[in-house]
Amino acid sequence: MAKYTRMLVLLLLPYIYLFSTTGAGLGLGHGHGLYVNVVDFGGKADGRTNSAQPFLRAWAAACSSFRPATIVVPSGRFLVGQVTFSGPCKNKAIKFLISGTVIAPLIDISNAADKWIGFDNIDGVSIHGGVFDGRGAALWGCKWAQRKCPDGATSLLFTNSRNFEIVGLTSKNSQLFHIVILKCQDVRVTGVNIVAPGNSPNTDGVHVQMSAGVTISQTSIRTGDDCVSIGHGTFGLLIDHVLCGPGHGISIGSLGKDHVLGQTVVSNVTVKSVIFSGTQNGLRIKTWGTLTTGYVYGVIFMDVVMRDVKNPIIIDQTYCPDNKNCPSQSSHIRIDNVEYINIRGTSYTQKAVNFGCSSSTPCRNIKLQNINLTCENQPTHSSCKNVLGTASGFMVPPSCV
Ligand SMILES: *[C@@H]1O[C@H](CO)[C@@H](O)[C@H](O)[C@H]1NC(C)=O
Ligand SMILES: *[C@@H]1O[C@H](CO)[C@@H](O)[C@H](O)[C@H]1NC(C)=O
């Protein structure tokens, strides 16, 4: 009996809280929407008890509220199994206010999920603060040992959503990608800190695909793979004030690996005020040597600093690992209208600029302006294949365009 009373109180607590605030007249004013706390729904900050259901119940309460809603995750460590927060919701102002750390369950190698925390079909959601720890080390160990391993889970996967922001969040040690934005529109990622060891496999920072109007700003990304990777169907992406490294740099592509319905397109991408530190690449565009058609159009890279970057500026249109499935050996995706303005710093190799464009579909309108990439005391040089464009201003290495 006592057990049931306790359960009943637990179940009703959030509602008692809700009614008492509403009753006091606080619930109606501007900025005083519904507040729900995952602890009131049974969430345990003990780092051991799976709080997935309490998190989903808190989401259900917020999502069914007609008023703006705030979901509070207090400090402490919450173990949360695979969850997806799905919309549509009855309001367009749901805020996660996270003080604590959300940790993933340890991976089950024989039965691994492909995502950890999903957001699907949401509109007007913001996530503030919090640390998300994907605990990827066990999977990396499997991959390092070259055993048969699952791909692993993306830590935070946003799909079919619009008008949301991720502010001041930390994502660490994902099994696979940290943040993926897929089929979304109007997204802001700001003040985010992404961190995983430089040798952790496939731990890309942010991957954007089939999405429009995405901004990533004031963010630090240190991982074992791409800092930001940009997939097909990306329109209007701004990357501003971002630190990359260690990792593989910012990459448009790889594009054209699989047959994509329609054309493979990336357009209107701006990367500015970015610092690359010790990365494998800086500014990279990479397309597979396949027959897939499409284009990359309208890219601006400006005010970028390189610190010991292996390939500061690189276009590779003959990408074909292991020489498999690349019938044409050169890409049929057109790269057009790409500007590199004020790119300076140090290259780890002498080949600081490398344009390896396609023989069947050359790059056009490549513009270089004020480039200063040096390599200790050795001269740097440029390499050009199938590229048309112009160069102006200071030019080290000398342009081959
Ligand atoms: C290009 O993308 C930016 C966001 O990065 C957006 O503000 C702008 O409207 C887009 N321009 C065009 C022509 O689509
Ligand atoms: C180019 O970089 C070198 C090395 O950092 C520096 O000494 C030089 O002043 C730079 N030149 C210009 C024009 O910025």
Side-chain angles (χ1 to χ4, degrees), residues 213-215 235-239 267-270:
V214 178
T215 298
F235 295 92
L237 168 65
L238 172 64
I239 298 172
S267 159
N268 187 13
V269 173
T270 300

Side-chain angles (χ1 to χ4, degrees), residues 312-364:
I313 293 178
I314 180 164
I315 294 180
D316 178 5
Q317 289 208 274
T318 56
Y319 186 63
C320 191
D322 307 327
N323 267 316
K324 277 213 298 254
N325 307 320
C326 306
S328 67
Q329 296 295 323
S330 83
S331 174
H332 288 237
I333 293 173
R334 170 83 67 190
I335 296 177
D336 193 349
N337 230 298
V338 181
E339 296 180 46
Y340 301 85
I341 305 166
N342 297 333
I343 316 291
R344 64 180 201 277
T346 53
S347 175
Y348 191 77
T349 64
Q350 285 181 268
K351 196 191 278 186
V353 177
N354 185 0
F355 293 127
C357 294
S358 165
S359 52
S360 56
T361 319
C363 299
R364 336 186 261 224

